[in-house]
């Protein structure tokens, strides 16, 4: 059952989403060659707790970490380790936080040092596909309209779109209905209605769409060993249009990136 949120609940969810956003912004300062993902995990947990939140992933389904870190060919659910990041790596940092009993959950794939041009392109196209998908989250459209748009955009660049892992509704539970696949046919699936809140999160591989699970029981990786990218926003349906609750602003501020990519999906100004 899809749980519709009131305007007041959506504003509470914005607080949770923005705490995740600010935590990822803090991590953007720390991600560099030589840093371990275990160090990043500890920093993320401390920041969330220091700012009035509760880590959303830690303990969820038995998850042993606050921050899920997927490096290079790892797609999602990578567990932090003591392996230092290396120049040329990419690492997706997927993070959740609970504020006022509501979850925030989003992800950004970071470059570590000097990354190969073909990998940079994968990250750029995956992030662009996120906004292509968000644009279809509108009153009267359906779930697979979003997935179709993401799939068409990513596959136009000859990339593989992961099938087994999907976005989701979000609220007082991390995972609510509906599932939000990153592939599909236009006009299929549940119809979007006012007050829905979802996490849209394309996971795109440089090569095959096929995946494998590692022996740790959590980490999902590409079957061909080629890099993967993952970007995610929390989005509410407000006045029939997508309203992004999370933001990459804090990441961009740390990295010196100027972007207006979120402007078309933000009716409420970002309070910095």
């Amino acid at each position: 059952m899809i749980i519709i949120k009131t305007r007041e609940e959506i504003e509470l969810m914005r607080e949770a989403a923005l705490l995740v956003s600010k935590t990822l912004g803090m991590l953007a300062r720390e991600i560099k060659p030589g840093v371990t993902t275990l160090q990043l995990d500890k920093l993320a947990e401390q920041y969330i707790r220091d700012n009035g939140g509760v880590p959303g992933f830690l303990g969820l389904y038995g998850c042993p970490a606050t921050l899920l870190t997927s490096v290079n060919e790892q797609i999602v659910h990578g567990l932090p380790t003591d392996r230092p990041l290396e120049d040329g790596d990419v690492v997706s940092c997927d993070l959740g936080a609970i504020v006022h009993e509501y979850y925030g959950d989003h992800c950004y794939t970071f470059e570590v040092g000097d990354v190969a041009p073909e990998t940079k392109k994968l990250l750029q196209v995956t992030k662009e596909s996120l906004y292509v998908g968000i644009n279809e989250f509108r009153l009267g459209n359906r779930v697979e309209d979003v997935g179709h748009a993401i799939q068409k955009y990513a596959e136009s660049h000859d990339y593989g779109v992961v099938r087994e892992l999907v976005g989701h509704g979000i609220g007082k539970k991390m995972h609510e209905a509906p599932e939000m696949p990153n592939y599909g046919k236009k006009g299929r699936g549940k119809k979007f209605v006012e007050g829905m809140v979802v996490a849209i999160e394309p996971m795109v591989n440089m090569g095959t769409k096929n995946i494998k699970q590692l022996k740790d029981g959590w980490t999902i990786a590409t079957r061909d060993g080629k890099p993967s990218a993952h970007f995610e926003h929390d989005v509410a349906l407000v006045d029939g249009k997508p309203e992004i609750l999370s933001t990459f602003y804090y990441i961009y501020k740390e990295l010196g990136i100027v972007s207006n990519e979120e402007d078309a999906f933000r009716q409420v100004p970002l309070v910095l």
Side-chain angles (χ1 to χ4, degrees), residues 116-130:
E118 59 268 27
T119 306
K120 283 179 176 284
K121 181 184 175 184
L122 170 68
L123 269 58
Q124 183 63 32
V125 168
T126 304
K127 183 153 64 71
E128 289 169 354
S129 78
L130 169 62

Side-chain angles (χ1 to χ4, degrees), residues 169-242:
I170 188 169
K172 287 191 173 181
K173 293 183 179 179
M174 173 65 74
H175 297 110
E176 296 183 353
E179 290 190 345
M180 296 289 295
N182 298 304
Y183 64 96
K185 293 185 178 180
K186 294 182 71 172
R188 293 203 315 194
K190 294 282 188 181
K191 186 176 285 189
F192 298 134
V193 295
E194 186 78 7
M196 288 179 67
V197 183
V198 299
I200 297 175
E201 49 178 322
M203 289 156 270
V204 178
N205 302 338
M206 186 178 288
T208 178
K209 67 180 185 295
N210 297 324
I211 68 172
K212 62 182 179 180
Q213 186 172 48
L214 302 190
K215 292 180 180 179
D216 63 15
W218 283 89
T219 308
I220 304 295
T222 60
R223 186 165 290 278
D224 60 9
K226 292 183 179 180
S228 184
H230 178 202
F231 292 87
E232 177 181 17
H233 272 310
D234 295 340
V235 192
L237 193 57
V238 177
D239 294 331
K241 298 182 292 186

